[in-house]
Amino acid sequence: TWAPTTFVGPAVVGGIAAAAATRAASAPTGAALRALVRGYVERLESIGITHLLVPQRWWGSGREMEGSSLDCFAMTAWIAGQTETLHLVTAVHPGFTQPAVVAKWGATLDNLTDGRWAINLTSGWNIAEFAMYGVAPLEHDERYARTAEFAQILRRAWTDGIVDFAGDYYRVEGLRLEPRPTRPLVIYQGGQSPAALRLAAGHSDWMFLNGGSPEKIAGLIAAARKACEPTGRQLPFALYAAPLCRATDAEAWAEIE
């Protein structure tokens, strides 16, 4: 499930109108924020939830997408100190920071949490967010090429003693992670385009799917598995969903429709 780091966004029921009402209330800060997040993650662990995704949405409109989130790096580190079993998956946009810096930060989280940290590489689509933070948006497929280099440096930093890498988007010379990570790196990714499938086939361990009909999901899974045939990767999949619970199926469908 998702970490509670965004407090404005479209609602499952009510859409933009509900989002506007939410926007009128200020997000919690200080002790109230810490209590909210601590209580939330404690409940998750108590009912056996295994993974928590910490999003990077440094700017969001709160209309067609979620609102701006708290920083993914700070929140992952803070939540790590409040949990014992949750696996923390930090969403990171390549281009907003350097892969060697994220590797060092992630290796530290790995040591602190006994290997409960993983990364979700999100190549990005919110171009206004890129411009705000001075990041070159690149064309769609170029963003995935940049992500592929980011993933290569991360993976090699985890597995190799010393890393030299010279790509089109990133360079490192003599990169060493010390102290070393304690567990293998796990890389998640999203996307459904041919470029996303190539990234999955070459570099990722999990693939997020955005939802849709069973037929659409089956087609995406088949396409991803086909893309992975040359590399032999065996991708598992995670499906994004927003459940609506009512006393009966009829009541739930009535509210959805």
Side-chain angles (χ1 to χ4, degrees):
T1 190
W2 284 53
T5 60
T6 301
F7 304 100
V8 176
V12 175
V13 177
I16 299 302
T22 305
R23 193 161 30 249
S26 60
T29 61
L33 174 61
R34 295 192 298 274
L36 184 153
V37 177
R38 184 185 301 111
Y40 183 85
V41 298
E42 286 176 352
R43 289 194 301 275
L44 293 181
E45 289 196 322
S46 72
I47 62 175
I49 297 295
T50 58
H51 288 69
L52 186 71
L53 176 64
V54 186
Q56 180 181 0
R57 174 67 67 226
W58 283 354
W59 181 83
S61 66
R63 296 181 181 275
E64 75 283 2
M65 67 184 84
E66 66 272 16
S68 303
S69 70
L70 296 166
D71 173 60
C72 54
F73 298 107
M75 292 305 297
T76 302
W78 194 84
I79 292 170
Q82 314 302 313
T83 55
E84 296 293 336
T85 60
L86 270 176
H87 289 257
L88 307 176
V89 184
T90 308
V92 174
H93 294 321
F96 282 65
T97 188
Q98 291 290 317
V101 174
V102 174
K104 178 64 177 179
W105 178 84
T108 302
L109 261 292
D110 172 88
N111 276 267
L112 283 169
T113 64
D114 294 320
R116 290 189 291 118
W117 180 77
I119 192 167
N120 175 33
L121 293 178
T122 58
S123 297
W125 53 268
N126 184 7
I127 301 303
E129 183 181 24
F130 281 75
M132 285 183 183
Y133 287 91
V135 178
L138 306 181
E139 294 299 322
H140 177 275
D141 285 9
E142 284 188 282
R143 293 200 293 273
Y144 279 94
R146 176 168 60 187
T147 298
E149 289 191 5
F150 199 104
Q152 289 176 71
I153 293 172
L154 283 176
R155 186 80 72 187
R156 289 187 56 194
W158 240 252
T159 59
D160 299 355
I162 301 175
V163 179
D164 292 306
F165 184 93
D168 294 328
Y169 308 97
Y170 300 109
R171 298 177 64 90
V172 297
E173 296 180 8
L175 173 62
R176 296 181 236 187
L177 287 187
E178 297 176 354
R180 299 293 300 160
T182 65
R183 303 288 194 283
L185 177 65
V186 177
I187 297 177
Y188 293 74
Q189 71 155 87
Q192 303 173 7
S193 65
L197 296 180
R198 289 193 295 272
L199 177 68
H203 303 289
S204 300
D205 302 301
W206 278 80
M207 191 166 187
F208 280 123
L209 302 175
N210 289 335
S213 68
E215 294 76 17
K216 176 184 176 182
I217 297 303
L220 289 171
I221 290 174
R225 287 177 172 163
K226 182 70 174 177
C228 287
E229 286 179 359
T231 61
R233 299 185 82 84
Q234 299 290 322
L235 278 181
F237 300 88
L239 178 65
Y240 175 76
L244 176 66
C245 301
R246 294 296 181 265
T248 66
D249 284 353
E251 289 180 52
W253 280 111
E255 190 147 0
I256 291 170
E257 294 169 349

